[in-house]
């Protein structure tokens, strides 16, 4: 029978296969976002988001936005990198390079340290740039670079930021809720994420976790109106969203966050992902597939990239897997046609992985 949920099992890195509990949450009564019931729902989501990493709960606040993960990243760098400031973007994949494109579009000064997509972020070059250029106000980077599945060494990058008093802006879109985030040690000013990856909600809502003092006492550098975090923060703190939110996605996110909490929080989720990915990697490697990054230890818990074997076409592999009830994910841009990616986010079980390995 294809699909533990009766349909498809999504092995792409979000949107994820939903639990029935989260899916049903969207059937709750229609709700006007100006009613007290929505204020309560939004308050619940914001406080749950700030408590996913309990050590962040005191100093950070969550600002919820309608949109996908990119909206949150754009709101974060747009609102927080001052017009007269400068961002150092440390990139090794599509999403790091996207941060640089966003800043460029916004007309904000930036320097990019770009590594090959199969390489780690270049920490030496980042340190040298920070030491050379005192006008750099922020470092921006990606935690889990979904392009390849590499979990970047943000602990080391954060240390560089902390030593120099430069704020770190982190794209944690594909890691939030499924990997360790250490706000204090990383000198984290903000991180951006989405409802529909490791948190197991539905697409439609994204959010930025921001140091509260920055929003309380700073000034907005937002180049536009809709993605101005300061404006959203002021309204949400007063109980209401500024613009029409994705109400049903909010029901789903609140439920998904409750489910995360009840199942043991991010530690348990990461452990679950590790078990599934460990089995998946061992199984595919024993079938002759090769890890793109060579070493299983450099990957995140939730995603693995494999070289497409000689003579195997992604579309054909994808179509075959889909007939068995699984959706796998291609490479992006330069890696399109040479790799495939398998994520274990969402309502997937060890049995799903065993079944997947039988049909590859
Ligand atoms: C998914 C993802 C994004 C955002 O993509 P959207 O399609 O806008 O949700 C940003 N950064 C990373 C690292 C991602 O994995």
């Amino acid at each position: 029978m294809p699909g533990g949920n009766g349909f498809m099992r999504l092995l792409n890195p979000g949107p994820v296969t939903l639990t029935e509990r989260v899916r049903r949450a969207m059937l709750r009564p229609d709700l006007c976002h100006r009613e007290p019931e929505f204020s309560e729902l939004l308050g619940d989501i914001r406080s749950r988001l700030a408590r996913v990493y309990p050590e962040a709960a005191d100093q950070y606040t969550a600002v919820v936005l309608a949109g996908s993960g990119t909206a949150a990243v754009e709101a974060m760098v747009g609102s927080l990198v001052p017009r007269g400031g400068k961002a150092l973007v440390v990139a090794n994949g599509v999403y790091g390079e996207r941060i640089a494109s966003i800043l460029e579009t916004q007309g904000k000064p930036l320097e990019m340290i770009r590594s090959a997509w199969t390489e780690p972020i270049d920490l030496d070059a980042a340190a040298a740039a920070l030491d050379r250029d005192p006008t750099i106000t922020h470092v921006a980077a990606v935690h889990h670079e979904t392009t390849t599945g590499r979990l970047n060494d943000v602990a080391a990058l954060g240390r560089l930021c902390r030593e120099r008093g430069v704020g770190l802006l982190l794209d944690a879109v594909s890691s939030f809720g499924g990997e360790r985030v250490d706000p204090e040690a990383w000198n984290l000013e903000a991180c951006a994420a989405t409802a529909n990856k490791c948190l197991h909600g539905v697409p439609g809502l994204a959010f930025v976790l921001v140091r509260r003092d920055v929003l309380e006492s700073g000034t907005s550098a937002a180049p536009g109106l809709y993605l101005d975090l300061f404006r959203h923060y002021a309204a949400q703190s007063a109980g209401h969203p500024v613009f029409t939110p994705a109400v049903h996605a909010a029901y789903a996110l609140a439920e998904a966050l409750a489910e995360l909490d009840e199942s043991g929080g991010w530690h348990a989720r990461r452990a679950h992902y590790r078990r599934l990915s460990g089995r998946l990697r061992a199984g595919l490697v024993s079938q002759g597939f090769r890890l793109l990054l060579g070493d299983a230890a450099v990957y995140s818990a939730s995603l693995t990239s494999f070289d497409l074997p000689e003579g195997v076409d992604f579309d054909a592999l994808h179509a075959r897997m889909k007939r068995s009830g699984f959706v796998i994910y291609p490479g992006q841009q330069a890696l399109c046609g040479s790799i495939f990616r398998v994520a274990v986010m969402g309502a997937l079980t060890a049995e799903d992985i065993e079944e997947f390995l039988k049909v590859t």
Side-chain angles (χ1 to χ4, degrees):
M1 183 199 74
N5 62 359
F7 300 98
M8 281 290 157
R9 279 151 296 184
L10 303 183
L11 304 182
N12 49 292
V16 299
T17 311
L18 299 179
T19 63
E20 269 317 296
R21 176 175 168 182
V22 168
R23 190 191 313 284
R24 278 181 213 281
M26 290 186 283
L27 297 176
R28 285 184 199 148
D30 297 332
L31 183 54
C32 168
H33 64 292
R34 295 277 154 207
E35 293 298 313
E37 290 85 350
F38 190 81
S39 292
E40 204 176 298
L41 178 63
L42 181 63
D44 179 46
I45 289 171
R46 293 182 62 223
S47 73
R48 284 183 183 279
L49 286 172
R51 282 186 278 118
V52 169
Y53 297 96
E55 55 281 27
D58 281 348
Q59 284 193 54
Y60 293 78
T61 185
V63 181
V64 179
L65 305 165
S68 75
T70 306
V73 175
E74 186 154 332
M76 173 175 73
V77 300
S79 306
L80 300 178
V81 178
R83 283 165 227 248
K86 182 172 178 182
L88 180 71
V89 181
V90 188
N92 59 342
V94 170
Y95 296 98
E97 292 175 16
R98 183 179 292 175
I99 298 176
S101 305
I102 290 170
L103 285 159
E104 234 164 72
T105 312
Q106 295 175 342
K108 301 259 176 87
L110 76 127
E111 175 178 342
M112 174 157 51
I113 292 177
R114 178 197 245 142
S115 301
W117 292 357
T118 49
E119 293 300 316
I121 51 172
D122 191 338
L123 293 164
D124 291 340
L130 285 168
D131 291 337
R132 183 182 348 107
D133 186 350
T135 68
I136 293 169
T137 51
H138 291 85
V139 168
V142 176
H143 189 199
H144 169 207
E145 188 40 274
T146 321
T147 310
T148 58
R150 184 186 293 274
L151 189 67
N152 282 327
D153 189 355
V154 176
L157 185 65
R159 210 156 38 236
L160 297 179
C161 294
R162 197 183 157 86
E163 284 160 7
R164 291 160 180 81
V166 171
L168 177 65
L169 303 177
L170 193 64
D171 170 341
V173 177
S174 61
S175 56
F176 194 96
E179 296 288 351
R180 174 182 303 281
V181 171
D182 198 345
E184 174 97 28
W186 300 356
N187 214 39
L188 192 72
E189 183 164 318
C191 70
T194 183
N196 62 278
K197 293 193 185 182
C198 303
L199 295 180
H200 299 184
V202 301
L205 287 177
F207 61 93
V208 187
L209 203 65
V210 195
R211 249 182 36 219
R212 194 180 285 110
D213 64 311
V214 171
L215 289 175
E216 293 283 353
S217 60
T219 42
S220 178
L225 180 138
Y226 196 77
L227 293 177
D228 180 350
L229 282 182
F230 288 76
R231 180 182 294 266
H232 285 278
Y233 173 66
Q236 291 180 20
S237 306
H240 290 292
V242 211
F243 309 110
T244 309
V247 174
H248 301 81
Y251 278 142
L253 178 56
E255 200 64 35
L257 287 165
E259 202 173 55
L260 174 67
D261 206 24
E262 288 162 28
S263 65
W266 73 266
H267 289 277
R269 182 145 298 170
R270 183 178 64 170
H272 172 68
Y273 288 165
R274 279 187 173 168
R275 276 192 297 276
L276 298 190
S277 289
R279 178 67 189 111
L280 179 93
R281 286 165 195 163
L284 286 184
V285 166
S286 77
Q287 292 176 27
F289 289 95
R290 283 200 323 254
L291 299 174
L292 169 70
L293 299 179
D295 177 6
V298 304
Y299 282 93
S300 69
S302 62
L303 183 91
T304 317
S305 51
F306 296 91
D307 290 322
L308 269 173
E310 202 70 39
V312 175
D313 170 62
F314 176 80
D315 291 338
L317 181 63
H318 173 269
R320 190 157 62 73
M321 299 313 302
K322 197 167 176 183
R323 281 194 295 278
S324 301
F326 293 100
V327 173
I328 60 167
Y329 209 51
Q332 285 156 290
Q333 301 176 24
L335 291 173
C336 172
S338 64
I339 67 162
F340 66 98
R341 292 177 287 172
V342 188
V344 297
M345 298 166 190
L348 297 170
T349 63
E351 292 72 47
D352 291 319
I353 302 302
E354 293 309 323
E355 196 184 324
F356 175 76
L357 289 170
K358 278 191 202 117
V359 297
T360 41

